[in-house]
């Protein structure tokens, strides 16, 4: 049975490319439906999945089985990716630090091998305060400063993409599609403008789709969204999704410590000593509160 990769999903159809052509600009997409037994499973097949399929007489196909995933970004749902580039703009819209931290936790929870932060639109405000990003760099994240308008950082991003499947994720209006067009003009992705009333971008990307880049690699342009839902996480695992917190958890007196109110907490002691960022810790508490409120609702 042939194997292919789901390039995009739309209105109940799954567009599949042959396995040997998936990472190239060559090849055609085969329109597939799901076999009934798979269709009953929510999220059984998503963009990026490797699948076994059967050809039908009318030139379409039916997906028989989804192969094991090596990684899974849960929102937006994309499977088998190697890295995520979390993209924000320096302004228009302004950076929302809490939302940035929520995206980072989402990527950590999804077990994505490489997580990169990209700050776009440097042409609008070149004198960005590097102190703002110091905690993220110290936590181990690579930060790229870029401008789709003047080409800053584009070469650095291109080098990161080679040989990998990369998701570009972030809020609407930060310029993800513009960055991708600057990386490869053949992509010709739609771009939008920022609403002056609500200071957010329009959703110019409608569905997650794998796009081969002419210089090498696959990119995933994802629909923008304004909130990353993390309320289903385990409160005792949340600290594991903050890389700088991980070695501190072992220093807590209680092995069930939530690092919020308990005494003799390794995370809180490090905060008092100035070893971790106040902003990152406050983001942790905000997400923890969201988890706790969600648990109370059920």
């Amino acid at each position: 049975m042939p194997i292919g990769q789901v390039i995009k999903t739309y209105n109940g159809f799954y567009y599949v490319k042959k396995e040997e052509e998936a990472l190239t600009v060559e090849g055609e997409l085969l329109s597939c439906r799901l076999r009934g037994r798979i269709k009953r499973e929510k999220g059984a097949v998503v963009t990026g999945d490797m699948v076994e399929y059967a050809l039908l007489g009318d030139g379409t196909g039916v997906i028989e089985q989804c192969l094991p995933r090596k990684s899974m970004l849960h929102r937006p749902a994309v499977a088998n990716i190697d890295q995520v580039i979390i993209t924000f703009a320096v302004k228009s819209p302004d950076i929302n630090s809490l939302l940035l931290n929520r995206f980072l936790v989402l990527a950590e929870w999804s077990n994505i091998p490489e997580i990169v932060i990209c700050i776009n639109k440097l042409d609008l405000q070149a004198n960005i305060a590097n102190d703002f990003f110091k905690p993220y760099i110290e936590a181990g994240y690579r930060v790229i400063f870029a401008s789709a308008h003047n080409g800053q950082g584009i070469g650095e991003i291109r080098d990161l993409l080679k040989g990998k499947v990369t998701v570009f994720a972030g809020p609407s209006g930060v310029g993800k599609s513009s960055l991708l067009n600057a990386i490869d003009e053949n992509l010709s992705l739609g771009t939008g403008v920022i609403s002056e009333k609500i200071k957010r971008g329009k959703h110019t990307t409608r569905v997650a789709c794998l796009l081969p880049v002419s210089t090498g690699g696959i990119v995933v342009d994802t629909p923008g969204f304004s909130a990353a839902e993390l309320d289903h996480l385990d409160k005792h695992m949340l600290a594991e999704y903050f890389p700088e917190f991980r070695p501190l958890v072992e220093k807590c007196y209680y092995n069930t410590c939530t690092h919020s109110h308990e005494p003799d907490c390794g995370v809180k002691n490090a905060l008092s000593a100035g070893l971790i960022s106040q902003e990152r810790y406050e983001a942790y508490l905000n997400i923890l509160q969201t988890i706790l409120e969600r648990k109370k609702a059920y």
Side-chain angles (χ1 to χ4, degrees), residues 253-265:
Y253 182 79
Y254 298 101
N255 57 14
T256 57
C257 187
T258 62
H259 324 295
S260 57
H261 63 278
E262 299 88 345
D264 202 7
C265 167

Side-chain angles (χ1 to χ4, degrees), residues 95-124:
I95 296 174
N96 181 324
S97 61
L98 176 58
L99 188 56
L100 171 58
N101 281 290
R102 292 173 74 90
F103 270 97
L104 290 170
V105 169
L106 178 66
E108 294 282 356
W109 173 64
S110 300
N111 199 30
I112 308 302
E114 298 290 337
I115 303 172
V116 179
I117 299 171
C118 177
I119 305 302
N120 191 26
K121 302 188 182 181
L122 263 291
D123 53 289
L124 298 182

Side-chain angles (χ1 to χ4, degrees), residues 41 58 73 88 96 106 127-128 168 176 198 202 204 227:
E41 301 175 24
D58 62 359
L73 184 64
F88 277 70
N96 181 324
L106 178 66
N127 61 335
I128 186 170
F168 279 73
K176 299 186 299 293
I198 62 175
K202 296 180 180 179
T204 57

Side-chain angles (χ1 to χ4, degrees), residues 29-290:
L29 296 181
L30 176 68
S31 175
C32 295
R33 291 279 196 177
L34 297 182
R35 182 65 71 187
R37 65 180 183 275
I38 304 177
K39 196 172 183 179
R40 290 188 288 271
E41 301 175 24
K42 184 178 180 180
V45 179
V46 302
T47 298
D49 271 327
M50 302 301 297
V51 296
E52 291 183 346
Y53 63 93
L55 291 171
L56 301 179
D58 62 359
T60 64
V62 58
I63 293 175
E64 300 283 357
Q65 181 179 352
C66 181
L67 301 181
R69 297 162 176 161
K70 65 180 183 181
S71 63
M72 176 69 186
L73 184 64
H74 294 272
R75 186 184 179 195
V78 186
N80 299 316
I81 60 177
D82 301 303
Q83 67 182 351
V84 58
I85 297 181
I86 297 173
T87 308
F88 277 70
V90 65
K91 64 179 299 184
S92 189
D94 294 341
I95 296 174
N96 181 324
S97 61
L98 176 58
L99 188 56
L100 171 58
N101 281 290
R102 292 173 74 90
F103 270 97
L104 290 170
V105 169
L106 178 66
E108 294 282 356
W109 173 64
S110 300
N111 199 30
I112 308 302
E114 298 290 337
I115 303 172
V116 179
I117 299 171
C118 177
I119 305 302
N120 191 26
K121 302 188 182 181
L122 263 291
D123 53 289
L124 298 182
Q125 184 176 318
N127 61 335
I128 186 170
N130 290 326
D131 287 347
F132 178 88
F133 298 99
K134 185 178 178 182
Y136 302 95
I137 295 171
E138 291 178 343
Y141 296 114
R142 180 171 182 173
V143 179
I144 298 175
F145 298 101
S147 168
H149 180 72
N150 64 26
Q152 181 177 347
I154 298 302
E156 186 177 356
I157 297 173
R158 276 200 196 103
D159 289 341
L160 282 178
L161 301 182
K162 293 178 180 177
K164 295 181 179 180
V165 177
T166 304
V167 163
F168 279 73
S172 299
V174 297
K176 299 186 299 293
S177 296
S178 295
L179 280 173
L180 290 170
N181 286 336
I183 290 164
D184 185 349
E185 61 183 14
N186 294 320
L187 294 177
S188 300
L189 301 176
T191 59
V193 296
I194 300 298
S195 165
E196 286 300 317
K197 183 177 181 180
I198 62 175
K199 299 300 181 183
R200 292 203 304 265
K202 296 180 180 179
H203 293 253
T204 57
T205 302
R206 302 301 179 185
V207 294
C209 180
L210 303 189
L211 304 167
V213 179
S214 60
T215 54
I218 294 286
V219 297
V220 188
D221 187 26
T222 63
F225 50 94
S226 59
E229 294 179 0
L230 298 166
D231 49 18
H232 52 282
L233 297 184
D234 184 338
K235 65 180 180 180
H236 296 299
M237 289 297 297
L238 180 58
E240 293 294 320
Y241 307 133
F242 286 74
E244 68 272 43
F245 290 11
R246 290 171 193 157
L248 303 172
V249 171
E250 300 175 358
K251 300 178 181 180
C252 293
Y253 182 79
Y254 298 101
N255 57 14
T256 57
C257 187
T258 62
H259 324 295
S260 57
H261 63 278
E262 299 88 345
D264 202 7
C265 167
V267 174
K268 288 165 58 181
N269 290 340
L271 178 67
S272 298
L275 300 178
I276 60 174
S277 160
Q278 180 71 36
E279 180 183 278
R280 289 274 285 167
Y281 180 68
E282 289 177 359
Y284 167 86
L285 291 180
N286 182 281
I287 297 171
L288 177 64
Q289 185 61 34
T290 300

